[in-house]
Every structure is written in C-alpha cells, then in structure tokens.
Amino acid sequence: MLRYLPSLLVLGLWIYAFIDCLNTPEDEVRGLPKIGWVIVILLFGGVLVGPVAWMIAGRRRGVERLRPGGRDGGQRWVAPDDNPEFLRSLRRDDQNGSGTQG
C-alpha cells in the first residue's frame, strides 16, 4: 500500500491544481492567460511541474488576494477598527440615533 502513496499524492495535487485553476477568477491569474495555465497543468501534471508552477507563479496568494492592487501599492485591505471610512459611518449612525439601545 505504501508504494502507491507517491502516485496518489501526485494525482491529488494534479487534481487540486486543475480545479483551483478552473475556479480562480481571470483577474487573479498571473503570468499566463487562464487557458494557458490549464494547458500547462494538463501537460506537465504527471511530473508535478505544471501543478507546482501554478501554485507558485500562477495565482495570487494570501495578502495579494485581499489587496486589489496587489504588490504594486494599490488599494489595501484594512481591518474595520483601522478603517477611517468605517469609523465615520459608525459616528454617523450614532449621531442619527440608529444605534441599538439595551
């Protein structure tokens, strides 16, 4: 049973990368067009080159997904308690008396 483990891991990574690529929005794909990544994953999936390349270079990861501008310094995700716009909206709600009273 142990001798099948590497093959199952390769197959699992190949399937994960393929489905992840198909489900990733076009604007979050880097490097190649989405169809190009699908072809790379399909052609080089058996030797792990395609899926690993997709994971490393093809999609935005972590913080990059939270920031629409990505690494180029565009708009950045901010926690609600640090977001001045959100805090202003709370003050407006409080002044209008729309807050809940206990």
Side-chain angles (χ1 to χ4, degrees):
M1 181 64 180
L2 195 56
R3 63 182 170 182
Y4 299 118
L5 187 60
S7 298
L8 289 175
L9 290 175
V10 169
L11 181 65
L13 183 63
W14 180 82
I15 291 171
Y16 174 79
F18 182 70
I19 291 173
D20 186 46
C21 183
L22 291 178
N23 288 332
T24 301
E26 187 74 38
D27 60 335
E28 291 186 13
V29 176
R30 298 185 303 173
L32 295 172
K34 192 172 178 178
I35 189 70
W37 280 113
V38 169
I39 291 170
V40 167
I41 291 169
L42 289 175
L43 288 178
F44 301 108
V47 291
L48 287 180
V49 173
V52 171
W54 165 252
M55 299 294 187
I56 293 173
R59 65 181 177 137
R60 291 185 179 174
R61 298 178 304 274
V63 175
E64 289 182 47
R65 288 185 179 192
L66 297 176
R67 299 186 304 197
R71 294 182 185 177
D72 59 357
Q75 185 180 6
R76 192 171 77 84
W77 182 83
V78 179
D81 58 342
D82 293 335
N83 187 340
E85 182 67 30
F86 176 73
L87 296 174
R88 276 194 292 272
S89 72
L90 289 179
R91 284 191 208 109
R92 281 192 302 262
D93 289 347
D94 191 38
Q95 290 172 354
N96 293 337
S98 62
T100 59
Q101 296 180 0

